[in-house]
Amino acid sequence: MVLTTSLMETFGASISEARDAATANSNGENEIEGFKQRVDEIISKVDKLEQKVHDIENFYSSMNKNQTSTPKGNSAAKDKDKEKHVPSIKKQQQDASRREAAASKRMQDLMRQFGTILRQITQHKWAWPFMQPVDIEGLGLHDYYEVIDKPMDFSTIKNQMEAKDGTGYKHVREICADVRLVFKNAMKYNDERSDVHVMAKTLLSKFEEKWLQLLPKVTEEETRREEEEAEAQLALQVAQEAAQAKMARDLSNELYEVDVILEELREMVVKRFRKMSTEEKRKLGDALTRLSPEDLSKALEIVAQNNPSFQATAEEVDLDMDAQSESTLWRLKFFVKEALEVQGKNSGSMGGNENQNNKRKRELCDAIAKTKKKTKKLT
């Protein structure tokens, strides 16, 4: 978002000039207040636009850096044409809900098919030890919980399959895992020569045979779901990019409009500059010598902005106050005034935080010394 950043710096310069020059106007307090009010309204709008810029920057910075760059040329027109064929984010979300519902219905069908396998296993003559939770107290199995971490039985599985409150199984593999757990718990706790161990091992083998018959359908559904989710994610990303592209264009147009307003305001204010007196120029020259090195460099950059031949970075600088334009002199006056106020407050507060209002003004003044590139309205 280099273009937008440049815009905001230009706006900062225009706002600072408008606010400060308005103060210099001697045509009446009402007119001055009118200028200030208008500038404050524009600043408020710029603040909101800055937040939008920040949001868009975050979006694009999180995008895959390996994506192919859009060719230059009439890319804006291409983006507009592309947006016409991209479903909205809301529609993408609606489609995702429908896909989820369809996938859930298919999974319910698979679980019903699994229920057939479960009935065949539970109807086996050796299934009776596993139908209900182990009677730990009645059988005196005092070490059962030391051996078995998660008890499981077919009645618990059946209740989970029939649950209507949303706590039931969501995937057929979850049921499969619990069926295996029933038999593996029995085999783990009981000696391999015991009847229960043999019964569990035999039923587990029969279950695995039947499960293998259903497994291809389960794998097919899982693959389908993964592909649908990947496709949906890609479609959502495209929709988000289209929405962000539109927002970026709208934002650029808004910034352009603000820039036009500020430029008009700046021109109005510049016309009202009064001529600075000789005494004021002398005081301004003295004030410049009291600036910190950093602030002095910024002040010289203000001079260089309207005087390309002026070497602001030279080791020795000869600044002729009489040779400067009234616009440059007034901008220097307001910059120096605010810079010295900040220096005074900082030295008196033992290194405390800079007043936020002054900080804001200084940032705007900094922008004066930067780019003056004009922006073009996107179409």
Side-chain angles (χ1 to χ4, degrees), residues 161-180:
M161 292 179 67
E162 296 175 352
K164 303 296 184 183
D165 58 357
T167 60
Y169 295 112
K170 301 297 188 297
H171 198 292
V172 68
R173 286 188 183 273
E174 296 175 357
I175 316 176
C176 178
D178 278 352
V179 171
R180 285 172 174 158

Side-chain angles (χ1 to χ4, degrees), residues 308-327:
S309 63
F310 181 76
Q311 300 296 321
T313 57
E315 291 185 5
E316 292 186 6
V317 176
D318 183 14
L319 181 59
D320 183 359
M321 304 299 288
D322 292 328
Q324 308 307 314
S325 68
E326 293 301 324
S327 173

